[in-house]
Amino acid sequence: DTFGATVYINLVDRDRIWVKSVGSYGPTPKEVKRDSAFCGHTILTDDIMVVDDVQQDDRFADIPNLKAAGIRFYPGVPLSIPSPEGDVNIGTVCTLDRKPRHFTEDDVVKLKSFAKQVRSEMLAGSFASEQQSVLDLVSEISDGES
């Protein structure tokens, strides 16, 4: 429990977020709508996204499922895979808490390092054989948004 909160590994497509790995935060859905979660914003960046207090952030303050769960704090890092055109963000590594917090520079380094480890494991494991299928899906999604 490096961050004092649960760490999640998520995959994101055009409409949904799939929760692939989670600690002990409590009941966690296997899938949520992309537009009602932080991760849909995080994969649009190339760096960490931190929300110190959800209730003070206009992007998230009125999202019902975040309010219902009492989520107040979110830092997340995009999870990417290589493609011929460069890295493509396909998910996130993030953490949540029910109280507002400040994420320190040390915490940022640790979360980014953990995300790099997750990426390495994905690319070295069974995911490696499915990488082209994921890239094809990402391409279809991108073409559909144009």
Side-chain angles (χ1 to χ4, degrees):
D1 195 356
T2 303
F3 305 105
T6 299
V7 176
Y8 295 81
I9 300 170
N10 306 293
L11 296 178
V12 181
D13 78 2
R14 182 181 358 188
D15 302 314
R16 296 166 298 218
I17 297 169
W18 287 282
V19 180
K20 301 309 288 180
S21 179
V22 65
S24 58
Y25 188 73
T28 303
K30 298 281 185 200
E31 179 182 316
V32 295
K33 290 183 178 180
R34 179 176 168 165
D35 63 357
S36 66
F38 303 104
C39 299
H41 293 266
T42 303
I43 68 160
L44 299 176
T45 70
D46 290 324
D47 202 4
I48 191 167
M49 183 179 95
V50 178
V51 180
D52 290 324
D53 187 350
V54 171
Q55 290 181 356
Q56 303 301 315
D57 191 308
D58 292 338
R59 295 171 296 177
F60 308 110
D62 293 324
I63 295 177
N65 65 318
L66 299 179
K67 280 181 158 182
I71 298 169
R72 297 285 302 272
F73 171 73
Y74 169 90
V77 177
L79 186 57
S80 63
I81 59 171
S83 79
E85 294 81 33
D87 284 356
V88 175
N89 293 341
I90 62 161
T92 64
V93 175
C94 65
T95 185
L96 301 170
D97 203 346
R98 289 189 171 112
K99 60 184 178 206
R101 296 179 34 186
H102 174 72
F103 213 51
T104 68
E105 283 301 315
D106 188 46
D107 292 333
V108 169
V109 169
K110 288 177 185 174
L111 189 60
K112 285 181 175 182
S113 176
F114 185 67
K116 285 180 184 177
Q117 289 175 336
V118 170
R119 173 188 158 116
S120 293
E121 289 294 320
M122 282 176 38
L123 296 176
S126 62
F127 179 79
S129 64
E130 308 219 6
Q131 184 174 349
Q132 189 56 51
S133 296
V134 171
L135 288 172
D136 291 343
L137 179 60
V138 167
S139 179
E140 286 176 32
I141 291 169
S142 297
D143 291 345
E145 291 177 353
S146 303

